Each structure stands twice: as structure tokens, then as C-alpha cells.
Amino acid sequence: MAATAFMTGGSTLASCTSRPATSPEGGKEEKPGKNLELKLSFQEGIAPGESLNEKLDFMEELGVVGFEPGGGGLAGRVDELKRALNGRNIKVSAICAGFKGFILSTDPAIRKECMDTMKEIIAAAGELGSVGVIIVPAFNGQVPALPHTMETRNFLCEQFNEMGTYAAQHGTSVIFEPLNRQECFYLRQVADAASLCRDIDNPGVRCMGDFWHMTWEETSDMGAFISAGKYLQHVHVASRKRRSVPGEDGEADNYVKGFKGLKMIGYDKYVSFECGCQGDKKVVIPAAVKLLREQWEQA
């Protein structure tokens, strides 16, 4: 029975969510998250423009409300970013990495470098009102790394508890990012990242999902986001074949089920573009924004 339940769970969930809910009076209820806003964000290299202000002007014209800078040298850019965003309807969303070293190195000095540089970025992120700093425990090319064992997981939880406490003190968080197997060995699914957040149990430790990586690792976009629940702090989006601007891979670029999952958990944070671009940015990026808003409404 257990195996049968497991195998049919996805179809059961789909059938449950496909029927409109009814109220006690027999009328139709609104979809979960019907009134939630799709808060789009761009990483710094997405929008066209020679200067930061030109990029932000382009974003404002499209109604993009989040800006995701890289973490490298962020402490020295705090004043610049505050000035650029002053008076705009754009806030800093997440901070994309930028730290040195890696936390699962076998070398204590490299682990310390990771912790120290992360704390520097975290402090700057707090000043900017960011939702958090994205971190990957180890990429495939980062060796030698601690073995994939329970002891390593416990060690990771200890390290992130320290990092998360520091982040919470600065009004922000650290955000686990699962990657696909071509890029990392340790953390590949959103539910795995969420389980770390649950076990660490620190308000400064959260996770994210990236539609590009989820394409290869998740059996269900909707299920992945539901599994994260309250721990989901950020989302990345890209086209699903070439990691380009959404829509540039045609019908493959469907995010509706993932958006349904986000609405079901009441997700009110950012969906941020992390992608390349095949065509003219001034053409394909507005088309992508339109596509995502249409799919959000369909969800």
C-alpha cells in the first residue's frame, strides 16, 4: 500500500487541486493566493543600459520591483546602491553569492574564509534591506570537500546556525540554493534545503528554488515549492532549455505549476531573473515579463 500511495501521490494532488474548492454555502472559493502579487526582480546584468541608473529606469518602466546585485565587493557599494534606489519603486531583493572559499572544504582556513566573507556580505545585505544572501555549500569543482555523510550534514547545520544568527541580527538571512547535479553534489532539491532549514531552526536560515535547476532535479515544480513552505525566501527563473530569458525556449518555458505552488504557500517575496539572453534585450525581456505575469494569473 505504501508503494502504491507514493506512486499515485502526484496524481492525487493534481486531481485535488484541479477541482474548484467550494465554500460551506456551496459557492466557489477563490484560488489560493489569488490576490498575491508577482514581485519580479532582475539580477544586475539582466536589464540593458550602460549605467546602473539606465538599467533601473528600464526596470521601472516594466514594473520590476526587485534588484539582485552580486555579493562581491557589496560592502563598498552600499551607499551607491542606496542612492540609485532612492525614490524608486525598486528594492534590493536577494544578494547573489560573492563570498570566497566554501563551507564544506576539508581545509579549516578555507572554511573560515567562507564564514568571514559571508558575514561581511550579510552585514551589507542588512543595511540594504535585502531578504538574504544566497549561498551554495559546495560546487562540484570545489575540492577536497568533506564527505557526504551525516557528520558532514551536522557540521553544515552548526556552521549555518552561526551564520544565520549573525544574519538575523542584521535583519536578513542566509539562503541555501539547491543546484542541479552538473553543478553540485551536496544539495540538489528544494525539499533537502528546506529540511536543513527545519533542522537548524533559525530565523536567519532559509532556502530558495531556481526553476532552471528544478527542471533537472524536481519531479514537480509545485511539489518542490510546497515542500519548502515557510522556509522559501527567494526564487530564480530562466528559460528551461538554455537558461536564457523566459520565453526564449518557447513552449518549454511553462512555470504555471510552480506558480501554483508559490500561491498555495502564500509566497510574497521575489521571483528574480538569473539567465542569459539570446535576442535583443529590449525586445525579449519585456516579452518575458509579460509571459510570467500571464502565467501567474493562470496559476
Side-chain angles (χ1 to χ4, degrees):
M1 286 296 291
T4 303
F6 176 79
M7 293 173 65
T8 60
S11 59
T12 301
L13 177 60
S15 64
C16 287
T17 56
S18 63
R19 293 193 299 267
T22 56
S23 67
E25 292 77 23
K28 290 184 180 179
E29 290 184 353
E30 292 185 345
K31 290 181 181 179
K34 182 178 185 296
N35 297 318
L36 280 174
E37 173 192 0
L38 175 62
K39 294 169 64 175
L40 292 176
S41 167
F42 284 179
Q43 286 191 340
E44 192 158 359
I46 300 298
E50 295 298 318
S51 67
L52 177 56
N53 276 317
E54 287 181 7
K55 294 174 185 290
L56 294 172
D57 287 343
F58 181 86
M59 292 166 61
E60 277 197 319
E61 288 179 11
L62 292 176
V64 173
V65 296
F67 177 67
E68 183 182 326
L74 186 67
R77 299 188 66 197
V78 170
D79 290 340
E80 172 204 353
L81 293 174
K82 282 183 175 180
R83 286 194 302 270
L85 295 174
N86 185 41
R88 294 184 182 272
N89 189 33
I90 299 175
K91 299 183 184 302
V92 174
S93 56
I95 307 299
C96 190
F99 55 93
K100 297 178 181 178
F102 65 107
I103 206 68
L104 292 182
S105 173
T106 57
D107 185 338
I110 294 177
R111 296 200 299 264
K112 184 177 186 302
E113 182 181 40
C114 178
M115 180 68 76
D116 291 347
T117 55
M118 271 295 292
K119 285 183 175 179
E120 180 180 301
I121 298 167
I122 287 166
E127 283 192 70
L128 291 167
S130 169
V131 299
V133 181
I134 299 166
I135 181 170
V136 174
F139 289 88
N140 284 339
Q142 292 178 314
V143 292
L146 295 172
H148 196 162
T149 63
M150 194 64 201
E151 289 75 14
T152 297
R153 189 182 191 281
N154 291 338
F155 172 79
L156 187 68
C157 289
E158 292 170 4
Q159 296 295 297
F160 270 80
N161 189 44
E162 176 183 342
M163 209 180 290
T165 296
Y166 187 82
Q169 290 168 352
H170 286 80
T172 187
S173 68
V174 291
I175 304 173
F176 282 116
E177 180 175 18
L179 306 181
N180 72 72
R181 67 197 69 188
Q182 300 300 322
E183 296 186 37
C184 84
F185 72 94
Y186 191 80
L187 192 63
R188 300 198 304 270
Q189 291 188 309
V190 175
D192 289 335
S195 73
L196 284 166
C197 295
R198 177 201 60 198
D199 293 353
I200 295 168
D201 192 23
N202 187 315
V205 181
R206 292 294 183 258
C207 67
M208 64 173 288
D210 182 316
F211 275 103
W212 165 253
H213 299 296
M214 290 164 61
T215 302
W216 315 110
E217 297 297 335
E218 304 289 353
T219 57
S220 165
D221 292 340
M222 181 167 64
F225 287 136
I226 292 172
S227 75
K230 67 179 182 179
Y231 300 112
L232 193 73
Q233 190 81 341
H234 196 56
V235 172
H236 277 164
V237 68
S239 75
R240 311 203 77 161
K241 290 184 177 179
R242 295 176 292 178
R243 204 175 188 180
S244 191
V245 173
E248 288 198 293
D249 283 336
E251 292 183 1
D253 295 343
N254 189 312
Y255 311 93
V256 173
K257 289 183 179 178
F259 285 167
K260 283 184 179 180
L262 293 178
K263 287 186 173 185
M264 289 177 75
I265 64 172
Y267 182 76
D268 60 358
K269 298 176 179 67
Y270 297 93
V271 176
S272 192
F273 282 52
E274 183 185 55
C275 56
C277 183
Q278 306 297 318
D280 181 346
K281 284 188 173 185
K282 293 181 180 179
V283 176
V284 298
I285 292 175
V289 169
K290 181 174 181 289
L291 174 70
L292 293 182
R293 286 178 176 150
E294 288 173 348
Q295 293 193 5
W296 184 261
E297 289 302 314
Q298 291 172 32

